[in-house]
Amino acid sequence: MRKNILFLATLIGSFATAQTKDTASVKKIEAVTVNGKKVLVERKVDRLVYNVQNSMLSQGSSGTEVLAGTPLLKVDENKGLLSIAGKNGVSVMVNDRMLNLSGAELINYLRNLRSENILKIEVITTPPAKYEAQGNSGIINIVLKKNQNLGWSGYLNTNYTQKTYAGFGSVAGVNYQNEKLKASIKLQGYDTEKRSVENYKIIGHNSSISRDERRDMNDGLGLNANFDYSLTKNSNIGLVYDITKGHSNMNINSKQRYYTDEALTLQTDTDSKHRSNFTSQMLNLYFDQKFGEHKLSLGANYYGNLPDTEVNFTTRNVADNSSQIVRNLSSVDYKIYSGQADLTLNFKKIQIETGAKYSRFSNNSDIGYFNLINNNYIIDPGRSNLFNYDEKNYAAYISASKDLSEKWSAKAGLRYEYTQTNGFSPTTQTGAENKYGKFFPTAYISYKANENNQFSLNYSRRINRPYFRALDPFRWYSNPNSYYAGNPSLQPSFNHNIEFNYIFKNKFSANLYYQRTLNNFDQITFLDGINVTSTYQNYYNQNFYGINLNYTDTFFKIWESNISTSFSYNETQITQFNAIPKNGQSFYYSTNNTFQLNKAKTFFLFLNYWQNLPSRDGYTAVRNRSSLDAGIKMSFVEKALQINLSVSDIFKQSVYKGDMYFADNTQSFNNYWDARRMTLSITYNFGNQKVKSNNRAVNFEEKSRAQ
């Protein structure tokens, strides 16, 4: 009887686990039979939900593959970027707790996250007041499956990637759970290399043409430990500790030519070696207490990073073969502390969330520039610098949500943040202080006309504070005539966001949005004679109008497809400098397809394609970009052994080309970051596979600014 019931449950697509009693199993099967549907996409009052457990991606896929197949999301593994269509960046949470990773660290984490553990992905395009007002980006919340099973489980994963150079990575994880304790320990190591080619031209009365060929070499070892202990039935404490030690090295050959009108004035050839070692540590502590339907959460966070970098470069004057040898030393000490309290009150007719948070940033850097003179390195005080930066943020919020009727629901919130910043350079005896307090309102209303049609309207105000590298005034030289420098006087920008959302039959969704950004900042490059300098400045305001369309469905029971398209138009007002605005449009589309090739669901083929048509943004015009990716996924030994083979950017179409327009020059770039690659990944799961890892993370949004 039990075997027959489980067989029937498999046929009708009910839950993967059965109750221990036959009667309970029958009840669950009957419920699934009545409701019948496996919904892939849902719309909540403040977010779009992609139910991974109902997708073909739920087996044998990495976290990055799942996110790439999620409506509204874009994944760029080469740049280490995630983005929501119409937004310039994104923060990532796991089970409503902020994941304290960014860039390559974030991509590595997601790549090692298994789809079997993911219940759903929530795409929050206008984050509620509970979350930091920082950034004009949205939030991705990865909800993991709850585990009710006790015992041990583990996994081993190794991957080989072939770009221009070969790369390797391995992860080993062990999970344990009993009635009170949930624990996970993960060890990972990686050794990767990548070739990048960057071409940059500044054409005007004074001109500069450069070509950089770079070999990036990154390696590291990391440990992640999660522990969660239930003090009582309604309270638990836990910690998350993460440490990574590694190297981020580069070998660069840079060729530069400088002109006045059409006359060549200088030609140089620079070979440089960048050697950087780092140790980053993160500690999160939390305590949760339930009071019936209500919940109190307390959290404390620490993040520290100590990168030390040595750059040695030799610049040769091609005309007379003379050389200049320089050493650039930098020592940086990042520290972030934060503490928070969140209270959720669930009443019969309304839910209220309130809380407070304190965070502090510190960044102390020591940059030394040394010339080799008579076999001795002599410091150049004019190009060396000390910089100390301190920032304190105080925040409090309150929000309320309510179902007004069977068709209408609403949510509104208000967040207040007060910020104090102080940047000071002991070398130059210059500094900048700033104090400001701002309110950030959010509002949502949703209308469900019927089972097939749902509408919502959202509003939020947000702030985009500069990250550390944009504030630090030290000069990072690529050759004696070219450098990047931060700007300690940089101010935050503010943006208003309005969205109208529509979803039809949980398959088709439309997102219409408007965004107004004031006092925006970005990197800008200047040429003064033969000196090329790049820095950050507040220099423009911008209006964005856009629409995102997405269709997700399964055809013939074996083909799952996600089709997305995004169109936007921007208006830019330049407030300083001589940049020429290039108002215009942007158009992007993608199609992600997964094909089930056998009845046992152990053999899948995927084929994905995306394209950005020529677009304009700010004072920049970008050329066409695209990428075709394909691969296979195979499972063996009752799906305990998984083998994935994929090829990305097959036709090498993701070259990044464009032009930036100024009154006295035009700047052009043509870059390719080794996106074409082949990846072979092998994963073996052992132990009780119903035991999921304790991937709890803690609200710590501030870490993303430590770039």
Side-chain angles (χ1 to χ4, degrees), residues 113-260:
L113 189 63
R114 306 310 305 167
S115 60
E116 290 81 359
N117 290 340
I118 301 175
L119 179 68
K120 59 186 176 180
I121 306 290
E122 297 178 339
V123 183
I124 311 171
T125 52
T126 52
K130 178 180 179 179
Y131 305 114
E132 295 290 324
Q134 164 66 24
N136 69 339
S137 60
I139 294 175
I140 299 170
N141 183 31
I142 302 173
V143 181
L144 301 177
K145 294 177 181 177
K146 292 183 179 180
N147 172 40
Q148 304 298 329
N149 301 85
L150 308 181
W152 294 89
S153 74
Y155 61 92
L156 299 171
N157 171 270
T158 186
N159 61 79
Y160 167 81
T161 301
Q162 181 64 57
K163 302 179 183 180
T164 301
Y165 311 106
F168 304 88
S170 294
V171 182
V174 177
N175 313 304
Y176 173 75
Q177 179 169 327
N178 61 30
E179 293 181 354
K180 286 186 171 291
L181 176 66
K182 290 185 291 185
S184 297
I185 297 178
K186 180 171 67 175
L187 295 170
Q188 62 179 351
Y190 61 91
D191 188 350
T192 65
E193 295 191 31
K194 179 177 70 174
R195 179 177 182 264
S196 300
V197 178
E198 299 179 347
N199 297 279
Y200 201 86
K201 297 180 180 180
I202 304 176
I203 304 299
H205 171 65
N206 291 318
S207 300
S208 169
I209 300 175
S210 66
R211 176 180 174 86
D212 292 355
E213 295 190 21
R214 191 175 75 236
R215 182 172 182 170
D216 297 341
M217 299 162 288
N218 300 290
D219 64 82
L221 292 172
L223 166 70
N224 178 272
N226 290 254
F227 298 94
D228 185 285
Y229 184 75
S230 297
L231 298 172
T232 68
K233 180 180 178 180
N234 294 318
S235 64
N236 64 293
I237 60 173
L239 69 84
V240 180
Y241 177 70
D242 189 279
I243 182 171
T244 303
K245 296 178 70 70
H247 302 88
S248 180
N249 302 329
M250 293 183 290
N251 292 340
I252 307 174
N253 177 259
S254 180
K255 293 179 170 57
Q256 309 88 23
R257 287 174 290 161
Y258 304 92
Y259 297 86
T260 299

Side-chain angles (χ1 to χ4, degrees), residues 1 144 159 176 225 227 253 268 314 432 447 584 605 668 689 702:
M1 173 66 179
L144 301 177
N159 61 79
Y176 173 75
F227 298 94
N253 177 259
T268 62
T314 301
Y447 174 67
L605 168 71
S668 303
Q689 289 310 300
E702 296 83 8

Side-chain angles (χ1 to χ4, degrees), residues 48 96 159 197 210 281 380 392 397 410 423 441 452-453 516 532 588 680:
L48 187 77
D96 279 321
N159 61 79
V197 178
S210 66
Q281 295 188 78
D380 185 339
K392 298 176 182 178
Y397 73 90
N452 293 332
N453 297 277
R516 169 68 169 167
V532 180
Y588 167 88
L680 174 64

Side-chain angles (χ1 to χ4, degrees), residues 510-537:
N511 168 254
L512 184 67
Y513 66 90
Y514 166 73
Q515 184 179 86
R516 169 68 169 167
T517 306
L518 301 174
N519 200 35
N520 221 336
F521 59 87
D522 206 346
Q523 191 169 349
I524 190 168
T525 300
F526 304 95
L527 176 62
D528 181 12
I530 62 172
N531 295 314
V532 180
T533 62
S534 295
T535 188
Y536 280 84
Q537 297 285 350

Side-chain angles (χ1 to χ4, degrees), residues 25-39:
S25 298
V26 172
K27 289 180 180 179
K28 182 170 286 188
I29 292 167
E30 289 174 351
V32 174
T33 304
V34 171
N35 295 326
K37 296 180 181 179
K38 284 188 173 183
V39 177

